[in-house]
């Protein structure tokens, strides 16, 4: 029988981290992409992951909701063992787990043939068993939260990038996730649209949502992150509070990376 989705007693008491990663290793052929990562995210923490292109940030995030299967180590998330030493949850449990782990991508990934409301109500109707009217009521609340009440009946193609991404966030929130993972949510946006998406993410953070965010938005990281993680070459170079990582980094590699990023902007 496959592993089942059981809450550990400690998790139900709120004692456990939302995410616990031990010795996470991932390779593509001979190319080692993640080199034995250990990391934890506590409830309501905002973790921002930064690092150069190819350092493994997306792979790391994708291993946390089962979009990639690591060969080594373990991932426990929202009280479930997602993967341990190459053994992944069965597809059915994986789908159930993904309802608790929201993911927002750079490229929005909205369903183009559904209206905004259709995008936000589909998951709750299919996977949470809500009636159409319940799902619509919840969706309208979420659209209000992301500032898009007026766009409920619009089709995705008619929206700006910033609006699309806010719909994508509302759609993820509609599943009532316990943690939200963001992979460069503003990288595909025109500069003037970045702020409206970051604003929504700040609101979520202030409401206590647990979040792990890969981003190049250093201002957001400084302002919102509890922990900044610097990745390079498939490993965590350093992790700490933003004041330390940005103001007094302990590692030379962090200094080099920040210098390169900040001199570009
Ligand atoms: N499906 C794949 N097959 C083979 N190699 C891959 C695959 N996905 C990622 N890689 C390689 O793994 C390494 C890490 O990729 P990853 O996308 O995790 O980096 P990243 O830090 O997110 O980079 P970026 O900032 O450019 O998004 C890169 O060298 C990449 O080429
Ligand atoms: Mg990436």
């Amino acid at each position: 029988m496959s592993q089942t989705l059981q809450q550990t007693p400690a998790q139900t008491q709120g004692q456990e981290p939302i995410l616990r990663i031990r010795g996470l290793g991932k390779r593509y052929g001979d190319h080692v992409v993640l080199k034995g990562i250990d990391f934890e995210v506590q409830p309501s923490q905002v973790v921002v992951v930064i690092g150069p292109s190819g350092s493994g940030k997306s792979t790391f995030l994708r291993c946390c909701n089962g979009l990639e299967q690591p060969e080594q180590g373990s991932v426990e998330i929202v009280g479930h063992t997602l993967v341990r030493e190459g053994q992944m949850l069965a597809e059915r449990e994986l789908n159930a787990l993904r309802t608790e782990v929201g993911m927002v991508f750079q490229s929005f990934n909205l369903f183009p043939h559904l209206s905004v409301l259709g995008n936000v109500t589909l998951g709750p109707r299919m996977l949470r068993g809500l009636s159409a009217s319940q799902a619509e009521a919840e969706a309208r609340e979420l659209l209000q939260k992301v500032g898009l009440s007026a766009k409920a009946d619009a089709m995705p193609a008619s929206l700006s990038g910033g609006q699309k991404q806010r719909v994508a966030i509302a759609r993820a929130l509609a599943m009532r996730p316990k943690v939200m993972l963001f992979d460069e949510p503003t990288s595909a946006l025109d500069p003037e649209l970045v702020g409206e998406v970051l604003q929504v993410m700040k609101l979520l953070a202030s409401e206590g949502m647990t979040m792990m965010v890969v981003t190049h938005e250093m201002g957001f990281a400084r302002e919102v992150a509890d922990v900044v993680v610097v990745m390079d070459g498939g490993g965590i170079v350093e992790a700490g509070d933003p004041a330390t990582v940005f103001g007094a980094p302990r590692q030379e590699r962090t200094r080099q990376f920040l210098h390169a990023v900040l001199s570009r902007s």
Side-chain angles (χ1 to χ4, degrees), residues 53-54 56-59 106 183-184 214 216:
S53 181
K57 306 180 298 296
S58 295
T59 307
Q106 181 177 340
D183 192 358
E184 299 202 33
V214 175
H216 297 293

